[in-house]
Amino acid sequence: MNAPPIQRLVTELAKLPGIGNRTAQRLAFHILRTDAEEANALADAIREVKERIGLCEVCFNLADGPRCRICLDERRDASLICVVEEPGDVIPIERTHEFPGRYHVLGGALSPIDGVDPEDLKIAQLYVRVTATDAPGIREVVLATNPTTTGEATALHIADGLRERAPEITVTRLASGLPVGSDLEYADEVTLGRAFAGRRAV
Amino acid sequence: MNAPPIQRLVTELAKLPGIGNRTAQRLAFHILRTDAEEANALADAIREVKERIGLCEVCFNLADGPRCRICLDERRDASLICVVEEPGDVIPIERTHEFPGRYHVLGGALSPIDGVDPEDLKIAQLYVRVTATDAPGIREVVLATNPTTTGEATALHIADGLRERAPEITVTRLASGLPVGSDLEYADEVTLGRAFAGRRAV
C-alpha cells in the first residue's frame, strides 16, 4: 500500500543489519516527517562516506586520506601493534584509553568454511610491516581478534607466522575471563574456565 | 577517533528514532563495507522520498501525487472514513484487510501540554469533508486514534464536533480489550477493565 518511493526507502533501510521490515517502515516514516534538510544531510553523509573513506595504506583501518589518524599521530607508540579483525574493533579499544600503540586491521577472521583464507586477510602485510628493514623496532604485537572460534584460530595462525619470521617480537593475546560487573552464577563454563586459567595474584 | 565523514554519518544515523550511538556506529561500518552502489541506492531513496512524497489533498495520507492510492481506488467505500493519527497507522489497518473504506490522517493527536491544538491537526478538514454538499453520503466515521490519553481525548473531541455538524453520521471507536494471544495474568487492569466493559455475547 506504500507509494513506490516509500517502498523503495523501506527496502533499502531493511538491508541494514538488525533493521527488520517493521523498523525500516518506522524509520522511513520518521524520515518522511523530518524536514528535507535533515533527511538530505543523511543521504549526503552516506554518499560522502563512500566517496571519501578508504583504507589506511599502513594499517588498513578506515581513513579519509592515504593514512589514518592513528598512523599519522606521532605520539602513538610505533613499536606496539594491536591486530584486530575489523575497523569497528578499533573504536572500543580506543575508548579504553589503555592502548598507546598503533593498529593493524585484518579485514576479517580466518574461516575456511566461509572461504576466508590467510590470503583474504591483511596477514602478509602484517608480516611485511613487522619485518621491514626501515620499520621502527617493533617490540610487541597484541592479537586482539575476537574470543570466538574464528578469532582464536586467526590469532594462533598469526602467532605462528610471527614466531617464524620475527622471533624477537613479543606476541600477546587479550585476557579472557569474567566481564566486569557480571555474576558468577550466569557465567558460561568456557568463560569461567578461562577466568580460572588466567587467575592472577592479588 | 573516527574520520570526519564517518563521524558525520554516525551523527546523522543516530538522529533516527531508536538508533543510539552504538547502533549508528554499527550501521555506519556496515555502509562502509557494502559496495558503493548499494549505499548510494539508500542515499537516493532518502532524497527521492523527500522530493516525491507529499500529502494527499483529500485524506492527508502520504502520496506520490495529488491524491493517495487509497483515495484514487474506486473500489474503496467512500461512505466509510477511518480517522487515524499518523500516516504510519494506515499500514497496520490495511494489513488486517478488515477495512473497506477510506482514511483521514490527522497528523497527530490533541495534546495541549505539547501545544498541539485542534487547529494543528486536520480536524477542520475532516468536518469540511463529511459535510461538503458534493461529498458522497458518508455513513460512518471510525475513530481509530491510539488508545492513549491523547488519542482518547482526540477521539472525544472529534466525536463531539461530528455530532454537532452531522448528527446523521454514525461515529464509532475501535474496540479496546485483551490483545489476541495474550494472557489474563499479564493484562494491566485498565485493559482488563475495558475488556469487561466491552464484553460481547458469544
Side-chain angles (χ1 to χ4, degrees):
Chain A
M1 255 309 143
N2 280 327
I6 305 179
Q7 197 46 53
R8 206 135 50 223
L9 178 57
V10 171
T11 307
E12 292 302 329
L13 287 168
K15 288 180 187 167
L16 296 172
I19 306 280
N21 222 36
R22 295 244 170 152
T23 308
Q25 191 90 248
R26 200 162 47 80
L27 294 178
F29 280 113
H30 172 86
I31 289 169
L32 278 159
R33 255 199 311 272
T34 60
D35 51 73
E37 204 179 316
E38 187 159 319
N40 290 338
L42 173 57
D44 292 342
I46 294 168
R47 284 199 164 274
E48 194 194 359
V49 95
K50 294 308 286 187
E51 273 161 23
R52 293 199 28 207
I53 301 294
L55 295 183
C56 170
E57 61 183 16
V58 178
C59 76
F60 306 99
N61 191 4
L62 299 170
D64 56 350
R67 293 198 179 192
C68 76
R69 266 128 218 284
I70 295 172
C71 286
L72 287 172
D73 187 344
E74 287 296 329
R75 293 163 307 178
R76 303 291 298 229
D77 186 349
S79 73
L80 192 57
I81 293 181
C82 179
V83 177
V84 295
E85 293 182 17
E86 298 285 353
D89 299 332
V90 170
I91 314 267
I93 297 176
E94 284 299 290
R95 242 187 248 129
T96 67
H97 299 292
E98 289 282 342
F99 181 68
R102 305 205 174 173
Y103 291 90
H104 191 88
V105 181
L106 297 173
L110 291 177
S111 177
I113 296 173
D114 304 315
V116 182
D117 296 313
E119 309 80 78
D120 300 317
L121 305 176
K122 307 292 184 191
I123 294 178
Q125 289 86 337
L126 174 66
Y127 297 155
V128 169
R129 192 172 163 195
V130 299
T131 56
T133 47
D134 64 333
I138 285 167
R139 278 183 302 120
E140 182 178 346
V141 173
V142 184
L143 299 173
T145 50
N146 290 326
T148 55
T149 322
T150 54
E152 296 285 2
T154 310
L156 284 178
H157 176 91
I158 295 177
D160 281 348
L162 286 172
R163 227 183 333 263
E164 218 171 80
R165 290 168 182 81
E168 73 288 358
I169 296 178
T170 310
V171 180
T172 57
R173 179 104 180 88
L174 291 187
S176 236
L178 297 169
V180 175
S182 68
D183 193 318
L184 269 185
E185 196 177 340
Y186 303 115
D188 64 285
E189 61 263 34
V190 181
T191 301
L192 197 52
R194 290 279 181 90
F196 263 103
R199 66 191 183 278
R200 299 168 58 165
V202 284
Chain B
M1 255 313 146
N2 279 329
I6 304 178
Q7 196 48 51
R8 207 137 48 225
L9 178 57
V10 171
T11 307
E12 293 302 329
L13 286 168
K15 288 180 187 168
L16 296 172
I19 306 281
N21 222 36
R22 296 242 171 154
T23 309
Q25 192 89 247
R26 200 162 46 82
L27 294 179
F29 280 115
H30 172 85
I31 290 169
L32 278 157
R33 256 199 309 273
T34 58
D35 51 75
E37 203 180 317
E38 187 159 323
N40 290 338
L42 173 58
D44 292 343
I46 294 169
R47 283 197 164 276
E48 194 194 359
V49 96
K50 294 308 285 187
E51 275 161 23
R52 293 201 26 208
I53 301 293
L55 296 184
C56 171
E57 61 184 17
V58 177
C59 76
F60 306 97
N61 190 5
L62 298 170
D64 57 350
R67 295 199 177 191
C68 76
R69 265 127 219 285
I70 295 170
C71 285
L72 286 173
D73 188 344
E74 288 295 331
R75 291 163 306 175
R76 303 291 297 227
D77 185 349
S79 72
L80 192 58
I81 293 182
C82 178
V83 177
V84 294
E85 294 182 17
E86 299 285 352
D89 298 332
V90 171
I91 312 270
I93 296 175
E94 285 297 292
R95 241 186 248 129
T96 66
H97 300 290
E98 289 284 342
F99 181 68
R102 305 205 174 173
Y103 291 91
H104 190 88
V105 182
L106 297 172
L110 291 177
S111 177
I113 296 174
D114 304 315
V116 183
D117 296 312
E119 310 81 78
D120 299 316
L121 305 177
K122 307 292 184 191
I123 293 178
Q125 290 85 338
L126 175 66
Y127 297 154
V128 169
R129 192 172 164 194
V130 299
T131 57
T133 46
D134 64 330
I138 284 167
R139 278 184 302 121
E140 181 180 349
V141 173
V142 183
L143 299 173
T145 51
N146 290 325
T148 56
T149 323
T150 55
E152 296 286 1
T154 311
L156 285 177
H157 177 91
I158 295 177
D160 281 348
L162 285 172
R163 227 181 334 262
E164 219 171 81
R165 290 168 182 80
E168 73 287 359
I169 295 177
T170 310
V171 180
T172 57
R173 178 106 181 88
L174 290 188
S176 235
L178 297 171
V180 176
S182 67
D183 192 317
L184 270 185
E185 197 178 339
Y186 303 116
D188 65 284
E189 61 265 32
V190 181
T191 301
L192 197 52
R194 290 280 180 88
F196 264 102
R199 68 190 181 279
R200 299 167 57 164
V202 284

